[in-house]
Amino acid sequence: MRHRFAETRYGQIHYVEDGVGDPVLLLHQTPRSGDEYRDLVPMLAATHRAIAPDTPGFGLSDGPTTRWTIEAFAAGILDLCDALDLGAVGLVGHHTGAVVATEIAATAPERVSALVLSGMPYVDAARREQVATGRPPIDHVERATDGSHLQQLWDNRAPYYPADRPDLLERLVHDAVAVLDRVEEGHEAVNHYRMEDRIGRITAPTLVLCGELDTFSLPDVGKILAAIPGARSALLPDTGVPAMDHRPDLVAEELGRFLRCRA
């Protein structure tokens, strides 16, 4: 994989890429970075040009200095596509990345040849109300002089990660620390997004992917399928929220099958 930077309206976006062929763009969850795909990129590179950016504001990418929104993230990623002179891309998003992918596919349908929405929550008025009236933050912590906030970052996510893979949580905590002062803003951007007004504009062939242990997003798969005509779904066995780095082999198999059908 090659590490590179591209100029966008927000400054530089960092990305890694590998392979040649039709481009596949991989968008990560909050508060991760393109590192979430470091095991998947080489698998896809056998048949595609796989590109994994750090969403604006995350990882090594510059980002908006104003409040983060899904629309801003999408605009930055479209700037990256312009900088790389990409035509239509296969677009893969995981959790927050899937919401960003939804906005891209709704805003610029001609730029998306195939769409994969992995672990995506369905954000409508009911969800926004639920979050606004008492759902606790997902990753927010208060910085502590004894460093205990680092343990809290770990503890917040431990229930969603496999107990025998502490390395996956280490990678998440590493990325979370890099955006500690804004670590919750990606989730807030998701929960302010008016998905119900946008998702019906998607025209790209769509695969709705979810880990069978992803209790956060699995209940919303039916709503997403109902909202996107012709969309189909696939379930990843024995994996949950960290599907992209926990079982990249299963993800690569599903993506390969889906993208071959679109070729």
Side-chain angles (χ1 to χ4, degrees):
M1 292 186 290
R2 297 291 182 183
H3 292 259
R4 307 184 192 279
F5 288 87
E7 293 292 339
T8 75
R9 72 188 69 190
Y10 302 122
Q12 291 191 326
I13 284 184
H14 169 257
Y15 65 98
V16 298
E17 70 169 309
D18 194 11
V20 296
D22 293 334
V24 177
L25 198 62
L26 306 162
L27 306 181
H28 59 83
Q29 66 167 311
T30 298
R32 293 301 319 274
S33 67
D35 173 76
E36 183 165 51
Y37 293 104
R38 75 182 186 197
D39 301 308
L40 181 59
V41 164
M43 295 178 184
L44 296 179
T47 53
H48 291 81
R49 181 186 178 187
I51 304 167
D54 299 343
T55 300
F58 293 88
L60 297 177
S61 290
D62 298 326
T65 56
T66 55
R67 183 175 182 173
W68 290 353
T69 66
I70 294 301
E71 292 83 356
F73 293 152
I77 295 300
L78 283 170
D79 285 355
L80 172 66
C81 292
D82 290 340
L84 300 184
D85 196 25
L86 301 178
V89 301
L91 187 59
V92 180
H94 185 58
H95 279 251
T96 302
V99 184
V100 177
T102 294
E103 175 62 16
I104 293 171
T107 299
E110 74 283 359
R111 307 294 296 269
V112 182
S113 60
L115 179 66
V116 179
L117 304 174
S118 172
M120 187 172 81
Y122 186 78
V123 185
D124 58 6
R127 179 186 176 89
R128 288 191 293 274
E129 176 67 16
Q130 179 189 26
V131 171
T133 56
R135 198 194 74 180
I138 296 173
D139 289 309
H140 173 74
V141 296
E142 295 291 340
R143 186 180 278 106
T145 56
D146 64 358
S148 58
H149 58 292
L150 303 178
Q151 181 68 54
Q152 188 60 50
L153 283 171
W154 183 284
D155 292 344
N156 286 346
R157 286 299 189 108
Y160 303 99
Y161 276 62
D164 62 343
R165 292 292 307 274
D167 58 305
L168 300 182
L169 264 174
E170 288 169 2
R171 288 162 64 176
L172 181 139
V173 171
H174 176 273
D175 283 340
V177 168
V179 292
L180 190 63
D181 292 333
R182 307 188 73 169
V183 70
E184 195 67 19
E185 276 196 62
H187 302 304
E188 292 171 354
V190 167
N191 291 314
H192 283 97
Y193 182 60
R194 297 188 62 86
M195 184 178 288
E196 71 271 37
D197 297 338
R198 307 294 287 160
I199 196 168
R201 302 186 185 189
I202 292 173
T203 59
T206 302
L207 173 65
V208 180
L209 197 62
C210 198
E212 69 170 350
L213 305 180
D214 188 344
T215 56
F216 186 82
S217 299
L218 187 59
D220 288 348
V221 167
K223 295 177 184 178
I224 298 166
L225 290 172
I228 305 174
R232 67 178 184 86
S233 65
L235 198 63
L236 299 170
D238 300 319
T239 191
V241 170
M244 296 295 155
D245 46 6
H246 181 209
R247 291 303 305 272
D249 54 330
L250 296 181
V251 176
E253 182 179 344
E254 290 293 346
L255 294 186
R257 184 181 301 116
F258 179 66
L259 295 172
R260 280 196 299 273
C261 292
R262 309 275 74 80

